[in-house]
Amino acid sequence: MGQNQYLIIGGSGEAGQSAISAIRSVDPSAYLISTTTTKEPVSNSDLTLFGKRAEPGLTEAVIDDINKAGKPLEFQALIYTPALGEVGFPIGESTQAQIKETLGICLDPMLSLEERLQPKLTVAYSAFYWLSHTLAFYGSMGIAKYKADKWVLENPKNRRLVRAGTFFSKSVRGISIVLQRTMKKTNHPDLLKLKNKFESSNQKFIDFFLSYAWEHEKETFQYQFETPYRPTVRDDLTRGLAKALQNDSPITTVLGDWTWEETKLPQLPTWFQQF
């Protein structure tokens, strides 16, 4: 039997590096092809495709580079990690233009790659976008995550989703910077509440933001588990993807030490259906 080939879009970020560790743990002889937006090789990858952004044309650029490297276009799994979009306002207030722009990064390139490459599995990442704190500031990113949840359930045989708790990453740092800026000129009650909490916290905003998210996760889920809550770290993402590659559930959720599987959409406010 030949080597299984995997394609990781965004291999140098936290999610990408955790994905590489997970694949190596479940399939040690795998051949890993990773993309990066930079000119730096992706750690622990067999082949790096440089200067690749999550945008229209990504599929053709990836296929061209793989062909040039003389590799087959056959993949055991496609792992898609990019997560960028407009944040800092309630999800329900996302405009069509904001949603379109966010989907153009977080979802559309993955759908295009999935359609052209037909991997055995396509794996996306999601978050707890429906908790009260995320509803208030996750903006059009929340719609992208909702659509990814719907996407995985349309074809649970060939698709997987890893849902993870809040962990420190470039993406989270970016969200916190935008959110801090938005809070200065908001009249939204939930964001004003957040602003007041921050001002009395004596913390740097990124530290405040992470502990605020972790507090909400603990409040929401601790009652289901005997082991104490702890924040999610890169190793938890590794565990989540390793499980997703080996089990039949469409959604694998990791939150600190806790892991569970889901087969349907979370309980969401009904207004999500308009998107």
Side-chain angles (χ1 to χ4, degrees), residues 108-121:
D108 297 343
M110 178 181 75
L111 302 184
S112 167
L113 283 160
E114 179 189 38
E115 192 181 339
R116 287 287 297 280
L117 298 175
Q118 299 282 304
K120 287 186 185 168
L121 279 182

Side-chain angles (χ1 to χ4, degrees), residues 116-268:
R116 287 287 297 280
L117 298 175
Q118 299 282 304
K120 287 186 185 168
L121 279 182
T122 302
V123 186
Y125 288 82
S126 192
F128 296 103
Y129 58 89
W130 65 92
L131 300 187
S132 61
H133 69 299
T134 24
L135 285 175
F137 68 72
Y138 211 36
S140 53
M141 284 283 288
I143 306 300
K145 299 302 186 192
Y146 166 62
K147 287 186 179 288
D149 276 15
K150 288 180 71 174
W151 162 85
V152 76
L153 296 172
E154 283 163 10
N155 180 2
K157 185 171 168 287
N158 299 102
R159 293 170 179 171
R160 295 287 179 275
L161 192 96
V162 176
R163 194 187 311 289
T166 304
F167 58 96
F168 181 76
S169 66
K170 277 186 193 160
S171 173
V172 165
R173 193 171 64 208
I175 289 171
S176 79
I177 290 165
V178 175
L179 183 55
Q180 190 175 7
R181 215 177 290 145
T182 315
M183 277 189 338
K184 288 176 181 161
K185 49 181 194 287
T186 188
N187 291 314
H188 194 278
D190 288 335
L191 289 180
L192 286 171
K193 201 161 63 179
L194 184 68
K195 184 183 178 184
N196 293 335
K197 270 195 161 188
F198 164 60
E199 284 169 354
S200 59
S201 73
N202 294 322
Q203 286 179 298
K204 282 206 309 229
F205 189 74
I206 182 66
D207 298 328
F208 164 77
F209 176 69
L210 285 166
S211 44
Y212 181 75
W214 294 335
E215 193 185 301
H216 279 267
E217 290 174 355
K218 182 180 178 179
E219 266 172 34
T220 309
F221 295 104
Q222 177 65 72
Y223 78 95
Q224 297 176 40
F225 300 94
E226 287 177 11
T227 49
Y229 171 85
R230 71 162 171 78
T232 303
V233 294
R234 183 195 283 185
D235 284 353
D236 303 319
L237 271 78
T238 302
R239 181 178 83 245
L241 180 62
K243 284 194 177 298
L245 292 172
Q246 294 173 297
N247 67 26
D248 291 331
S249 287
I251 302 170
T252 300
T253 300
V254 285
L255 182 54
D257 287 325
W258 308 330
T259 311
W260 68 96
E261 293 170 17
E262 298 169 60
T263 54
K264 57 183 192 290
L265 281 176
Q267 276 194 302
L268 300 171

